[in-house]
């Protein structure tokens, strides 16, 4: 019963909060404002720019990232209850989760804030888009590891 509850919390929190932050980080660069000095023929679509949407994506990124802490907490408790904390797929998943969190906290959120505070050219937004893709790729690898469970004892 406890294992089932922990698994449900772990999976639902991952879907809602990690998924939400993944989508928000991906959408932010599309809507972030550009500097007024950027020429209209610059290689970006000015028509999609919306500071209000970008601000909402930034808030979702931050808020859902905090709520997503439930994912590793529930996962670690579940692994402990099942006696699997020493399995390689759990350890690698936690390392990747820490990497994704570090990327979000040290790179993505500050760059989003900077883009909102001081709109500039499109190049920093392209880098931010690349970082969002890396963040999402890390989570995809974690999901694959949760399904395949390499090195699992059961």
């Amino acid at each position: 019963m406890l294992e089932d509850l922990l698994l449900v919390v772990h999976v639902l929190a991952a879907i809602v909060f990690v998924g939400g932050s993944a989508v928000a980080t991906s959408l932010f660069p599309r809507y972030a404002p550009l500097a007024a000095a950027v020429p209209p023929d610059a290689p970006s679509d000015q028509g999609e720019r919306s500071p209000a949407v970008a601000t909402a994506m930034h808030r979702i990124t931050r808020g859902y990232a905090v709520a997503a802490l439930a994912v590793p907490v529930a996962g670690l408790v579940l692994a402990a209850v099942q006696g699997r904390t020493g399995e390689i797929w759990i350890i690698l998943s936690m390392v990747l989760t820490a990497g994704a969190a570090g990327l979000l906290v040290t790179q993505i959120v500050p760059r989003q804030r900077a883009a909102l505070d001081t709109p500039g050219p499109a190049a920093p937004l392209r880098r931010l888009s690349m970082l969002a893709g890396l963040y999402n790729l890390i989570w995809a690898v974690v999901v694959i590891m949760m399904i395949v469970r390499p090195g699992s004892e059961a």
Side-chain angles (χ1 to χ4, degrees), residues 27-96:
L27 289 175
F28 178 88
R30 173 184 293 173
Y31 294 104
L34 292 174
V38 174
D41 60 342
S44 67
D45 186 0
Q46 293 275 8
E48 292 184 342
R49 302 292 164 187
S50 170
V53 173
T55 299
M57 293 299 108
H58 178 63
R59 286 184 186 147
I60 291 169
T61 299
R62 281 189 346 235
Y64 278 33
V66 171
L69 290 172
V71 176
V73 169
L76 274 175
V77 173
L78 179 60
V81 166
Q82 293 177 337
R84 295 178 159 220
T85 54
E87 292 186 21
I88 190 71
W89 66 281
I90 298 286
I91 295 166
L92 288 174
S93 293
M94 291 308 299
V95 167
L96 288 170

Side-chain angles (χ1 to χ4, degrees), residues 11-26 60 64 68 71 135-136 139:
V11 171
L12 283 177
I15 291 168
V16 173
F17 299 124
V18 173
S21 72
V23 170
T25 60
S26 295
I60 291 169
Y64 278 33
V71 176
Y135 176 72
N136 293 335
W139 284 120

